[in-house]
Amino acid sequence: MTDAMPVRLTPSRKFRSLALVAATALSIGVGASSPAWAEGPITPQTQLQTLPNFVNLVKQVKPAVVSITSHIRADVAEQEEGGGGQQMPQGMPFPFPFPFQMAPQQQQPRRTVEARGSGFIISNDGYIVTNNHVVNGATKVSVTLDDGTTLPAKIVGRDPKTDVALLKIKPNGKLPFIELGDSDNVQPGEWVVAVGNPFGLGGTVTAGIVSARGRDLNAGPYDDFIQIDAPINHGNSGGPLFSQNGKVIGVNAAIISPSGGSIGIGFAIPSNTVKSVVDQLRTSGHVTRGYLGVLMQRISPTLAQALGLKPSEPGAPPEGALVAQVTKGGPADKAGLKSGDVVTALNGAKIKSVHDLVVHTVSMKPGTDATLTILRDGKSQTITAKIGNMPKDGEGADSGAGDDSGQTNGGKIGISLAPLSRDMRQQLGVDDTVKGAVISQIVPGSPAEQAGVRPGDIIQGVGNTAVDNPRAVLTAVRGVLKNKQPVLLRVLRDGQQIFIAIAPGGSDSDDDSNDDGN
């Protein structure tokens, strides 16, 4: 074998290649083959007219974009550079475009490093938005305006859960500022412009399109990023992302990159999230979040079948958020929400997943009304809940989710059941108020094992039928299997209620004595 030789185009070949590409591109829009979106044949002139020109936009917004320098404790800087302690998915070595220009200061009792990022002015009296990770652990922060003026800045407040921070400077006069727009109107494919301070190069402008919305990177509990392909790099953190109308639709915060540089996969915090956080930081210095008081569960295809949910279109994933458990005395409980309900909309906004419901709920102001559209027993209905205040540190926060004396053994779904005897209650740590049948054994490789059922789970319901002993479980399960439907179990596990759907398996015979307790 011979080594592959690199191919280099001579100047003439280069020109011929470019001409071929141009000719091919032009031929696409000529004659009857013109694409549906074209109003007429594409010419070089019309091609130029369709490309956006950002000159006026940049002139309008650039004076309100600032560079931020933070003197950060070395221990915090090292933690941020390593991902801020967050558990990130594999293949994401750079969860944030950290702006650190590691310039050690003179030796001090507590060593600091100099970090640089971006931000933007949102009021003429000097309030500035940036990322939390740009100023987290800072002992001193300064802001450099577009005209070169450098001023000290005060951290008004930070919100680590959304990676947003608010600063304040004292200007000599009124400052140019920019407004936060409505990120809910952002659509994949639209042009966007990023302005910031990558690698200390202040006022850098890059452009691209919105690649996707609602990205969850598992970087925080309320991730809802806008994905963009506009190049952002180290130092762009905290800078604004603009739509073509000059409004801020996001705050640049993260990239995915194997090398640390931009590969066209960047992420911005939606402006509506930023707006909610900043308004609270400006008023009180801290953030309060909405709270419903529910434990929610993702709807798998088997669960959807067991619940009788139909996809929006063939092959589409199940939509909605399944209520697994309702906190007693919480807002959802007071409104009448029940375990087994499926939330499909909140205040008219479609809920496609548990994540959607969490993001919408926490953004609501405590005390406001939330109109929930739910499916209960296959019928759609609406209930109204008054949003509560999330407990401190998120404890109890909304999240994503007997008289028989012997064991009952079953072969169809592969579980053995036992009653909740006094000894069993002591072993499981439950009191007399808990009703149900405990799973004592699971057949290896059975449908129950594949569905995630565990020994020690307490079955409290089969579908909409409450059960309080193994015999009741057996009767309810047989009724479901008779209709060849998945078995929907309501299970108590580690003090939390969840739903598990088990696809039917084995023989359909009702008179097999080994079927007891499926």
Side-chain angles (χ1 to χ4, degrees):
M1 291 181 62
T2 58
D3 294 335
M5 298 295 292
V7 177
R8 296 182 180 178
L9 291 176
T10 63
S12 60
R13 286 181 180 174
K14 285 183 181 179
F15 294 145
R16 284 201 299 270
S17 299
L18 290 173
L20 178 61
V21 171
T24 303
L26 288 174
S27 68
I28 292 175
V30 177
S33 61
S34 179
W37 47 262
E39 295 182 358
I42 296 178
T43 67
Q45 290 74 25
T46 56
Q47 279 188 314
L48 290 175
Q49 289 172 2
T50 59
L51 294 176
N53 186 318
F54 302 115
V55 173
N56 291 331
L57 168 63
V58 172
K59 286 180 179 179
Q60 173 189 342
V61 301
K62 187 171 171 288
V65 182
V66 302
S67 298
I68 297 172
T69 302
S70 301
H71 295 269
I72 296 179
R73 299 197 317 269
D75 58 330
V76 176
E78 291 169 2
Q79 181 183 4
E80 292 281 15
E81 189 176 24
Q86 313 252 11
Q87 296 296 318
M88 302 298 295
Q90 291 184 352
M92 296 184 62
F94 293 91
F96 292 106
F98 294 114
F100 298 111
Q101 312 294 323
M102 291 295 189
Q105 306 302 298
Q106 294 181 350
Q107 290 295 325
Q108 299 174 356
R110 177 176 287 175
R111 191 172 67 87
T112 62
V113 296
E114 187 177 275
R116 294 180 184 173
S118 308
F120 55 97
I121 306 167
I122 59 168
S123 65
N124 60 15
D125 58 348
Y127 281 97
I128 294 171
V129 172
T130 187
N131 284 142
N132 172 66
H133 73 260
V134 171
V135 297
N136 183 29
T139 58
K140 184 173 69 172
V141 179
S142 60
V143 169
T144 301
L145 305 180
D146 185 57
D147 63 5
T149 303
T150 299
L151 298 170
K154 173 187 175 183
I155 300 176
V156 177
R158 301 184 298 109
D159 183 37
K161 290 183 177 180
T162 55
D163 195 27
V164 173
L166 182 65
L167 311 180
K168 179 69 168 67
I169 58 176
K170 292 182 178 179
N172 296 323
K174 291 186 177 181
L175 296 172
F177 65 95
I178 44 185
E179 297 179 358
L180 291 165
D182 184 0
S183 55
D184 285 349
N185 293 327
V186 173
Q187 297 297 325
E190 73 173 81
W191 285 94
V192 288
V193 174
V195 184
N197 181 36
F199 300 104
L201 301 172
T204 296
V205 180
T206 57
I209 63 169
V210 173
S211 303
R213 291 179 51 185
R215 292 298 197 199
D216 182 3
L217 306 183
N218 296 313
Y222 312 126
D223 285 4
D224 191 32
F225 290 108
I226 300 170
Q227 181 182 333
I228 60 173
D229 74 349
I232 55 176
N233 289 283
H234 291 255
N236 272 113
S237 293
L241 181 72
F242 295 100
S243 61
Q244 292 188 74
N245 65 2
K247 298 291 181 68
V248 177
I249 58 169
V251 177
N252 300 315
I255 61 173
I256 292 178
S257 172
S259 63
S262 173
I263 60 170
I265 306 177
F267 302 92
I269 306 164
S271 58
N272 286 358
T273 298
V274 176
K275 193 182 305 181
S276 173
V277 170
V278 165
D279 287 347
Q280 294 186 65
L281 291 177
R282 192 169 178 175
T283 302
S284 63
H286 66 274
V287 177
T288 58
R289 291 187 164 87
Y291 170 70
L292 270 175
V294 292
L295 178 68
M296 294 165 292
Q297 184 175 340
R298 183 182 69 87
I299 303 175
S300 66
T302 307
L303 264 178
Q305 186 180 357
L307 291 166
L309 301 179
K310 295 181 179 180
S312 56
E313 57 185 51
E319 295 183 353
L322 175 63
V323 178
Q325 185 171 321
V326 179
T327 303
K328 189 175 181 180
D333 184 39
K334 293 178 181 177
L337 204 64
K338 296 180 179 180
S339 174
D341 289 343
V342 177
V343 181
T344 59
L346 173 60
N347 288 342
K350 195 172 184 179
I351 300 298
K352 294 184 177 181
S353 65
V354 170
H355 180 259
D356 281 354
L357 184 56
V358 171
V359 169
H360 280 79
T361 301
V362 298
S363 66
M364 296 186 67
K365 186 177 180 181
T368 58
D369 287 338
T371 301
L372 297 165
T373 304
I374 64 170
L375 285 174
R376 178 180 294 171
D377 299 330
K379 297 179 181 179
S380 180
Q381 62 184 82
T382 300
I383 64 173
T384 301
K386 191 170 290 293
I387 294 294
N389 196 340
M390 182 178 290
K392 290 184 178 180
D393 300 324
E395 183 179 351
D398 303 326
S399 62
D403 296 324
D404 294 59
S405 58
Q407 291 198 2
T408 306
N409 186 18
K412 281 193 175 178
I413 58 176
I415 59 174
S416 293
L417 300 173
L420 277 173
S421 63
R422 180 176 299 177
D423 290 342
M424 185 64 75
R425 290 181 184 278
Q426 290 179 349
Q427 184 179 341
L428 297 175
V430 296
D431 58 27
D432 292 339
T433 62
V434 175
K435 307 296 182 184
V438 64
I439 296 176
S440 56
Q441 291 182 344
I442 298 176
V443 177
S446 66
E449 184 185 55
Q450 294 173 12
V453 176
R454 302 176 189 174
D457 286 346
I458 300 173
I459 299 177
Q460 296 189 300
V462 178
N464 294 325
T465 304
V467 294
D468 57 6
N469 59 65
R471 183 62 54 183
V473 174
L474 167 63
T475 302
V477 168
R478 277 183 166 171
V480 175
L481 292 177
K482 210 176 257 190
N483 295 322
K484 298 182 180 180
Q485 293 293 316
V487 178
L488 182 64
L489 302 179
R490 179 159 49 89
V491 170
L492 185 67
R493 175 185 294 170
D494 298 329
Q496 293 185 339
Q497 190 168 272
I498 62 173
F499 286 87
I500 300 175
I502 304 175
S507 171
D508 290 328
S509 173
D510 288 332
D511 57 2
D512 186 344
S513 60
N514 291 327
D515 288 345
D516 291 359
N518 287 299

